[in-house]
Amino acid sequence: MTRSIDRLRIAYILHDYNWRYGHSRYVAELASRYSQDHEVHVFCNTFDEPNPQGLTFHHVPAVRRNVMTTLLTFALPVTWKLSGRFDIIHSQGFCGFRQNVVTAHMCQDAWLEAMTQRLGRPSWRKRVFHSMASWFERGAYSGHGTQRVIAVSHRVAADLEHYYRPTAPIRVIHHGVDTETFHPRNRAIWRQTIRQEIGVDDTTPLALYVGDYQKGLTPTIQAVRRVPGLHLAGVARSPTEPYRSLIQSEGVADRVHLLPATSHVERYYAAADIFVFPTCYDPFGLVATEAMATGLPVVCSSAAGAVEVIEDGVNGLIVQNPWNPDALAETLRKLTADADLRQRLGEAARQRAMRLTWDEVARQTMAVYREVASR
């Protein structure tokens, strides 16, 4: 027998709640919208907003020495804290042992295979962590309590089917993008200031790389050497030391600028002419759609879930083998030399991004919640 519930009691489980990074941003966007009509609780270890309107925050203790300790020491306390009845318990990957909706932001086994192919056999520590994380992840997607799995791309859905064979139905819901924060008008505001900070003038072609450097910075640096005059700015939390010697050996120390992470990454999109995303694996890639929303032409790897919203040659360019620096350089050279092409692709990218709203993500996700709550 089914039942209709107008006001849901929703619990979100994640390690950190903020508006800046990946699945944290995803939860913040959903929770802030649903709190207007539903009772929303957030269970996490850190919380950027101490008293957000309409949300109930539950602190979950965890040992944050590394990813493994976080994973292991968070799961039991959050499961214990989830006392009482919730219509929806929405976990971000494996976070605990009680959930009925899980969003797959990645697939551990697919990630390991891609990284091994590109970077070689990982250390024993990484292999141990992966084995444990994969085991817990498989349980989250195939556990008895899980009734729906949300995948952020068709790529992730296929990876889950291949490696884990989840028992619950999978629904693909692409990430949204904040088209007001990431907007072409930012160029008039921030382009000159950020370029002065980087040390490039307004006429110098500038490509931008944002995100984990190990996913694709190496071929990007090698490609930049093959495109005379092109500068590259990298923005990430990743350590820069492993790439300094490569920059020197490629002879591009004066053209590659590695910058620290920032809470205002939209300013760096505004300063760029091209966005380059040659990842060897990415379940989606919010950085690509943020660049699209800013009106930048995106050079995107076929290994990223974001290619599902990109039409090659229409609103971006897709590189089939991004770890081949010659192939990547050919695409970058084409964009560097053709300002009209950059403008055409960038304008079309902005139009496509405007359809990727968080309101639409919330609408589709609520439909999943209703299916679960009616059971």
Side-chain angles (χ1 to χ4, degrees):
M1 185 174 78
T2 62
R3 61 193 178 93
S4 176
I5 301 177
D6 293 327
R7 181 174 172 84
L8 299 177
R9 194 164 188 253
I10 303 169
Y12 287 102
I13 313 174
L14 72 165
H15 297 130
D16 304 289
Y17 181 97
N18 60 64
W19 288 84
R20 295 190 302 277
Y21 305 117
H23 63 267
S24 301
R25 175 65 180 265
Y26 168 82
V27 170
E29 293 284 359
L30 294 179
S32 64
R33 283 166 171 78
Y34 295 151
S35 64
Q36 301 172 32
D37 301 306
H38 304 277
E39 181 182 340
V40 179
H41 297 250
V42 178
F43 294 79
C44 59
N45 180 247
T46 66
F47 205 104
D48 273 7
E49 299 178 53
N51 188 27
Q53 184 176 3
L55 300 182
T56 301
F57 164 60
H58 304 266
H59 176 257
V60 180
V63 178
R64 305 299 295 269
R65 293 176 183 171
N66 52 50
V67 177
M68 184 178 294
T69 62
T70 298
L71 188 73
L72 296 177
T73 63
F74 182 89
L76 287 176
V78 76
T79 303
W80 177 77
K81 280 180 171 287
L82 281 163
S83 59
R85 178 188 172 281
F86 288 96
D87 299 298
I88 302 296
I89 301 177
H90 188 166
S91 180
Q92 311 312 303
F94 169 73
C95 286
F97 299 98
R98 185 184 172 199
Q99 66 279 315
N100 52 18
V101 177
V102 185
T103 291
H105 296 275
M106 71 173 298
C107 174
Q108 282 285 341
D109 283 354
W111 158 254
L112 183 69
E113 181 176 329
M115 297 305 291
T116 300
Q117 290 177 352
R118 298 303 180 189
L119 302 177
R121 183 178 170 85
S123 68
W124 70 268
R125 289 180 182 273
K126 289 184 177 180
R127 294 199 304 272
V128 169
F129 166 74
H130 165 75
S131 296
M132 296 182 65
S134 177
W135 186 82
F136 284 121
E137 193 173 73
R138 181 178 290 104
Y141 299 132
S142 303
H144 176 71
T146 302
Q147 298 180 34
R148 293 292 186 278
V149 175
I150 297 173
V152 299
S153 66
H154 291 282
R155 181 204 168 104
V156 172
D159 288 340
L160 295 180
E161 291 283 7
H162 177 72
Y163 292 102
Y164 298 153
R165 299 189 181 280
T167 54
I170 300 175
R171 185 75 52 82
V172 174
I173 304 176
H174 291 133
H175 279 319
V177 62
D178 183 345
T179 55
E180 284 301 304
T181 298
F182 303 96
H183 197 287
R185 62 169 172 260
N186 291 341
R187 294 174 186 165
I189 304 171
W190 294 108
R191 181 179 173 90
Q192 185 175 2
T193 300
I194 297 300
R195 280 177 166 255
Q196 287 177 348
E197 173 189 317
I198 296 172
V200 296
D201 61 41
D202 193 56
T203 61
T204 298
L206 178 64
L208 178 66
Y209 179 110
V210 176
D212 189 347
Y213 285 161
Q214 67 176 331
K215 290 182 180 179
L217 185 61
T218 294
T220 305
I221 292 171
Q222 295 169 333
V224 166
R225 180 182 67 80
R226 293 161 167 79
V227 186
L230 178 64
H231 281 237
L232 172 68
V235 178
R237 290 179 289 174
S238 303
T240 60
E241 291 76 12
Y243 304 95
R244 296 294 180 185
S245 59
L246 176 63
I247 290 170
Q248 292 293 334
S249 64
E250 292 289 327
V252 290
D254 60 333
R255 294 197 285 132
V256 176
H257 318 272
L258 301 185
L259 310 171
T262 174
S263 57
H264 295 289
V265 70
E266 70 275 5
R267 301 175 183 179
Y268 293 85
Y269 291 120
D273 301 302
I274 301 165
F275 186 76
V276 57
F277 191 50
T279 180
C280 62
Y281 173 85
D282 206 294
F284 186 73
L286 269 173
V287 292
T289 51
E290 289 170 352
M292 293 172 69
T294 309
L296 285 177
V298 174
V299 177
C300 189
S301 163
S302 58
V307 297
E308 295 169 17
V309 300
I310 295 174
E311 294 182 70
D312 189 29
V314 176
N315 56 19
L317 296 174
I318 298 173
V319 180
Q320 297 298 325
N321 186 7
W323 275 66
N324 179 339
D326 290 322
L328 184 57
E330 181 180 352
T331 303
L332 291 174
R333 193 178 300 114
K334 181 189 303 183
L335 285 171
T336 300
D338 193 337
D340 290 338
L341 176 61
R342 296 199 302 269
Q343 181 175 353
R344 177 171 62 81
L345 293 177
E347 289 175 351
R350 169 67 184 178
Q351 293 302 311
R352 180 64 181 93
M354 289 180 68
R355 290 153 49 195
L356 298 170
T357 67
W358 284 111
D359 286 340
E360 178 60 18
V361 175
R363 186 193 68 78
Q364 293 184 46
T365 305
M366 180 53 65
V368 174
Y369 290 177
R370 294 294 184 190
E371 293 173 7
V372 172
S374 66
R375 290 169 62 91

